[in-house]
Amino acid sequence: MCGADSWPKLGEFEDADAFRTTATALRDYLTGEHLGLPEGHVLWLFGESDAQRHLDRIGGFLQAAFGDGAPRGGGWRVLFFYTGHGFFPSSPTEYCLALHDTRPPLREETSLRASSLGRLLRAVAPDSDRVLVVDACFAAAAVRYMQASLDDVVERRVRTVLDEEPAAGPGSVAVLCASDQNTWAQLDGSLRWTTFGRSLLDVLTGGRHGAQAALSLREVCEGVSGLQRSKAAPAPELHVPVQAAGDLSKVPLFPNPAWDGATSGPVPEPVPRSPQPVPGGPVMSADSVRRSVLDVLATQPEGLVRTGTRISPRLMAVVRKRCGLTEGDEVHAVVKPRVAVRGASWVHVIAFTDSGMHATTGDPGRFRCGYDALHELGIEMRVSWFYPGPGHSRSDYYLELSAAGESISYGPWSGGYAKKLRAVLGAVRAAAGRTG
């Protein structure tokens, strides 16, 4: 939690208690009766100086929390919150979050730069899901820095991309912004709150009637939008710039105090996949792993993953036959088959059932990994190069899957689809955490 309520060396920014009020109220929400996080799960940097120290402390805090069991943040959700002044120091291509000691002529260097924050989170917590809430002017300008630039990869050779891409991680990113990239945020009439912060806390602590037991970030944003409209205040924006593990904005995250138990349908856990800090990393039962994995798969694009009633009878029959399932093993999700480089699409199947993950490339090429071993799933991408003639080459991509003494070479695929598969399976492995 970062921000400031005074900027003694910046005459253009007025001091405002509203920022501290907002930050303190959100901290109380996180550690109080609503969400109940241990105080040790919250790093409070509000009002502190030194941009480099901010980055060092954030990185160290996350690494200590993850421990040896999840060094890249797999299975964890990271929330970053800033309230204060956001500005463009000299160019619309760099967005900065002002700290207490931000000062001229080095406004950019003495601020928390969105680009630096994005690089840090990608480096320290690439496998985590990351939720950023920016309560500042021009907040949506921060979104572009939360994903790797395409310019970093499009001009490189395929081999180089394959070597470096795993550093990006399988986690997803969602950013809730107080305003768009061209709009000033506002304080409320009492000057004790930011309008966005007050609306956000009202939704989180009051809940939404007619919704499920836990609210997604998208539902929270919709509630905040309604309150902001009633105040004639800037509308918030919600962005999901990285969806490697699915659309994070649709995942239930926050308990809904207005839920009366009457809503139809299954009741989601308030904060799925949120591990407790135990020696050696997060520990979950096999049943918890199954729920967590299916949570991730439910947010994947329908063109990539089918879940529940979206699995057609024909696809269900193919899955049961190809994977050799027993009559009582229920199928919950299927990675939708695509046409492989060589071979029929219906031969290649990945399914998630009551018992675990199943993959097949046709008899006898079957692979099974139970939920108790899914955290050990090995996912390696292999590329085979063919040279049919002088000056010509072709590449086939395979995913080498392994766990619990079993393995399978799943492919061949085009490079683009193989990378999507690896991202999905990486997110599944991260959701599995460590079982016990």
Side-chain angles (χ1 to χ4, degrees), residues 27 29 36 47 49 60 66 73 97 134 154 156 163 171 186 254 271 291 297 305 330 404 412:
R27 179 181 61 181
Y29 166 82
S49 301
F66 299 156
L97 304 171
V134 183
V154 295
R156 299 179 183 181
D163 289 342
Q186 296 179 359
F254 306 100
V271 190
R291 293 196 304 269
L297 294 171
V305 177
E330 185 176 352

Side-chain angles (χ1 to χ4, degrees), residues 24 42 186 338:
T24 301
V42 179
Q186 296 179 359
R338 296 282 184 91

Side-chain angles (χ1 to χ4, degrees), residues 78-360:
V78 176
L79 169 66
F80 173 85
F81 177 78
Y82 173 90
T83 183
H85 285 301
F87 67 100
F88 301 96
S90 58
S91 165
T93 62
E94 182 67 273
Y95 181 65
C96 294
L97 304 171
L99 302 178
H100 177 70
D101 66 336
T102 298
R103 58 193 179 274
L106 302 177
R107 289 179 175 85
E108 182 176 345
E109 289 78 1
T110 54
S111 300
L112 187 60
R113 290 185 281 194
S115 57
S116 299
L117 176 65
R119 287 197 299 271
L120 174 69
L121 294 178
R122 289 195 299 274
V124 176
D127 293 357
S128 71
D129 286 336
R130 302 177 292 283
V131 176
L132 295 94
V133 180
V134 183
D135 184 9
C137 299
F138 321 119
V143 174
R144 75 188 70 166
Y145 303 107
M146 298 307 135
Q147 57 187 336
S149 170
L150 290 177
D151 293 337
D152 292 341
V153 297
V154 295
E155 295 180 358
R156 299 179 183 181
R157 292 180 296 116
V158 172
R159 185 68 258 169
T160 303
V161 174
L162 285 176
D163 289 342
E164 297 186 2
E165 193 197 31
S172 292
V173 178
V175 188
L176 178 59
C177 310
S179 63
D180 63 38
Q181 62 182 347
N182 299 307
T183 302
W184 293 83
Q186 296 179 359
L187 305 185
D188 72 356
S190 70
L191 300 183
R192 293 189 61 251
W193 293 85
T194 66
T195 56
F196 170 81
R198 177 71 269 181
S199 296
L200 176 63
L201 265 297
D202 284 346
V203 172
L204 292 177
T205 59
R208 300 193 69 190
H209 293 284
Q212 286 280 9
L215 299 174
S216 68
L217 197 63
R218 187 169 299 279
E219 291 172 310
V220 169
C221 183
E222 290 170 354
V224 172
S225 295
L227 293 177
Q228 291 291 84
R229 281 195 301 271
S230 69
K231 304 172 186 177
E237 286 195 353
L238 178 60
H239 299 266
V240 191
V242 179
Q243 300 188 36
D247 188 345
L248 182 57
S249 72
K250 297 180 180 178
V251 176
L253 294 174
F254 306 100
N256 180 14
W259 183 66
D260 58 7
T263 307
S264 61
V267 177
E269 296 182 2
V271 190
R273 297 175 60 199
S274 180
Q276 296 297 317
V278 297
V283 176
M284 295 185 288
S285 67
D287 191 52
S288 295
V289 170
R290 180 178 61 81
R291 293 196 304 269
S292 183
V293 166
L294 296 181
D295 232 3
V296 167
L297 294 171
T299 63
Q300 295 292 334
E302 186 171 343
L304 189 60
V305 177
R306 295 289 176 89
T307 59
T309 57
R310 296 185 300 170
I311 305 175
S312 68
R314 181 190 179 199
L315 180 55
M316 183 72 75
V318 169
V319 168
R320 288 194 169 280
K321 177 181 178 181
R322 293 293 181 189
C323 296
L325 302 179
T326 62
E327 197 64 35
D329 204 0
E330 185 176 352
V331 179
H332 297 283
V334 179
V335 179
K336 187 180 178 183
R338 296 282 184 91
V339 176
V341 173
R342 295 188 305 276
S345 63
W346 297 110
V347 172
H348 298 75
V349 174
I350 294 179
F352 293 84
T353 71
D354 284 335
S355 60
M357 170 186 160
H358 302 258
T360 178

